[in-house]
């Protein structure tokens, strides 16, 4: 999911690869990661969207599609839920302060989380 966040989530396929039933896979995933596979995927998508929006060269709609979301409304709602502001406001904000922070630290600082 971290590598292929822009593709549709297929819990049955992931469960087959892990040699588990889909229900058992979902329960084990939640026990290990603290959230469902879908929520984990959406968090990765929002994390990537934040990076694309900080660049400022793509519209919110283009970012929505680039991270694999099919509904702009759902994307905006989830982004606002995790980040605390709408994607358009996040994009418009000045992000130059973060340019001096090494990318590995910036990723940790800006990572959205439900937990």
């Amino acid at each position: 999911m971290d590598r292929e966040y822009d593709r549709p989530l297929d819990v049955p396929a992931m469960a087959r690869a892990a040699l588990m039933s889909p229900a058992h896979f979902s329960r084990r995933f939640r026990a290990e990661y603290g959230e469902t596979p879908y929520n984990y995927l959406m968090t990765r998508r929002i994390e990537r969207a934040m990076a694309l929006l900080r660049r400022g060269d793509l519209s919110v709609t283009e970012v929505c599609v680039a991270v694999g979301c099919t509904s702009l409304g759902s994307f905006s709602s989830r982004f606002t839920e995790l980040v605390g502001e709408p994607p358009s406001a996040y994009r418009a904000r000045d992000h130059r302060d973060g340019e001096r922070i090494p990318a590995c630290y910036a990723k940790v600082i800006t990572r959205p989380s439900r937990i």
Side-chain angles (χ1 to χ4, degrees), residues 22-99:
H24 184 67
F25 175 80
S26 292
R27 282 192 304 274
R28 293 294 304 146
F29 190 96
R30 185 177 188 131
E32 294 298 322
Y33 292 95
E35 55 189 338
T36 66
Y38 177 77
N39 285 339
Y40 183 89
L41 175 66
M42 286 305 295
T43 301
R44 296 293 73 76
R45 286 178 174 174
I46 298 303
E47 180 180 43
R48 181 65 182 141
M50 290 171 69
L52 293 173
L53 290 169
R54 281 193 301 271
R55 281 187 359 202
D57 61 335
L58 297 174
S59 70
V60 172
T61 303
E62 290 169 323
V63 168
C64 172
V65 172
V67 298
C69 293
T70 56
S71 166
L72 182 59
S74 296
F75 168 75
S76 295
S77 296
R78 185 60 58 103
F79 189 97
T80 303
E81 174 189 325
L82 286 174
V83 179
E85 64 183 321
S88 55
Y90 184 82
R91 182 182 183 273
R93 197 160 31 97
D94 184 7
H95 296 281
R96 286 182 291 187
D97 289 343
E99 291 174 356

Side-chain angles (χ1 to χ4, degrees), residues 12-25:
M14 289 188 294
R16 277 192 305 277
L19 303 174
M20 298 179 191
S21 72
H24 184 67
F25 175 80

